[in-house]
Amino acid sequence: MSAQTIGLLSGGVVFLSIVPYAIRTYQGKIRPVPTSWSLWSLIGLAILLTYRSSGAEANVWPAVFGFTNPTLITILSVWRHGKWKKPNIPERLCFLFGIVSLAMWLFVRQNRELAQYALCVAIAADLCAAVPTIIFVWAEPDGDRPFAWVVFAIGYFIAVFAIRQNTLANWILPLYMTAVALVVALPLALYRFRQEVPLKEWA
C-alpha cells in the first residue's frame, strides 16, 4: 500500500477508537467532564499543527483525529449536560503547555526544524494529562475500559508505516501515543481477564 493509504487507514482506526465512547456519551450512559475533554481538544490541536509543520505528511492523519475525537466528546458532553469543573494542577499544566505550543507554532510554523520544539512542548502537555489517567487506571482498573485504548494504540502504530522521512519528529508522536495508550490499556485488560469479564464489557 502507498504511504497515503496507510496514513488514511491509521487515521481511520484512531477515529474508530472513539466511536463506542461517543455512543455511550450520547446515550447518557457515561458523563464525560467537558473541562477535561476541552483540554484534550486543545492539546490535540497543538499536536496536529506542530506535527504537520514538523514534516508529517501521510502519517499526519492520526493527529487529525487525535484533535477531532476529543472535540466530538466535548460537544456531546456539553449537549448531554456534563458539568464543568475547576481545573486541577495537571489540567492547568496541560492548558499552559498547550497554549505555549500553539504560540510557538505561530512563530516557527514555516521552519520545520524549529517546529519540532513546539511539537515536543505539545507532547509534554499530553503527558501532563496522561500521567493522572495512568495512575487512575492502575489504581481503579474497573473505572475505564480497554477497547478504545487498544484501538487507539493500533491506529497510531500503523502510522509508523506511513513515515517516509526519517526524522525524530515523525517518529516520536506515533511511538509516544502507542506506548501511552498501551500503558493505560494494560491494567484495564488484566483486571477483566482475571475477573473473567465478558468481552462485551471490554468496550
Side-chain angles (χ1 to χ4, degrees):
M1 290 190 292
S2 67
Q4 188 65 30
T5 300
I6 295 173
L8 287 170
L9 174 62
S10 172
V13 174
V14 171
F15 171 74
L16 288 176
S17 70
I18 205 66
V19 171
Y21 199 93
I23 292 174
R24 290 197 298 272
T25 300
Y26 174 78
Q27 294 172 338
K29 294 181 179 180
I30 56 175
R31 294 183 178 274
V33 178
T35 307
S36 301
W37 283 91
S38 62
L39 286 173
W40 282 108
S41 298
L42 173 66
I43 296 169
L45 177 61
I47 287 176
L48 170 60
L49 295 176
T50 56
Y51 194 44
R52 184 69 184 89
S53 294
S54 296
E57 295 175 346
N59 51 307
V60 77
W61 285 105
V64 171
F65 293 106
F67 164 62
T68 60
N69 284 2
T71 301
L72 172 62
I73 297 301
T74 300
I75 294 170
L76 287 173
S77 64
V78 172
W79 185 19
R80 302 300 293 182
H81 310 293
K83 295 182 179 180
W84 294 88
K85 67 179 181 66
K86 184 178 180 180
N88 55 31
I89 293 177
E91 288 172 336
R92 291 175 187 175
L93 285 174
C94 288
F95 179 78
L96 175 61
F97 281 126
I99 292 297
V100 169
S101 176
L102 287 173
M104 290 176 64
W105 174 80
L106 284 173
F107 290 101
V108 303
R109 63 185 183 276
Q110 301 299 332
N111 188 314
R112 182 172 296 186
E113 296 299 322
L114 293 178
Q116 296 183 54
Y117 293 104
L119 173 62
C120 290
V121 174
I123 291 175
D126 188 85
L127 185 60
C128 288
V131 169
T133 300
I134 292 170
I135 293 173
F136 169 74
V137 296
W138 279 92
E140 301 181 38
D142 60 335
D144 204 335
R145 300 186 180 189
F147 177 80
W149 293 101
V150 172
V151 175
F152 185 86
I154 292 171
Y156 258 104
F157 185 72
I158 292 173
V160 168
F161 300 98
I163 294 174
R164 289 297 176 264
Q165 295 186 31
N166 192 26
T167 65
L168 176 63
N170 273 333
W171 285 93
I172 190 172
L173 183 65
L175 293 180
Y176 162 78
M177 288 295 190
T178 300
V180 168
L182 290 178
V183 169
V184 173
L186 180 59
L188 304 177
L190 287 176
Y191 171 80
R192 281 157 180 76
F193 180 76
R194 291 167 180 166
Q195 299 296 321
E196 299 182 353
V197 176
L199 286 178
K200 64 179 181 180
E201 299 297 329
W202 289 47

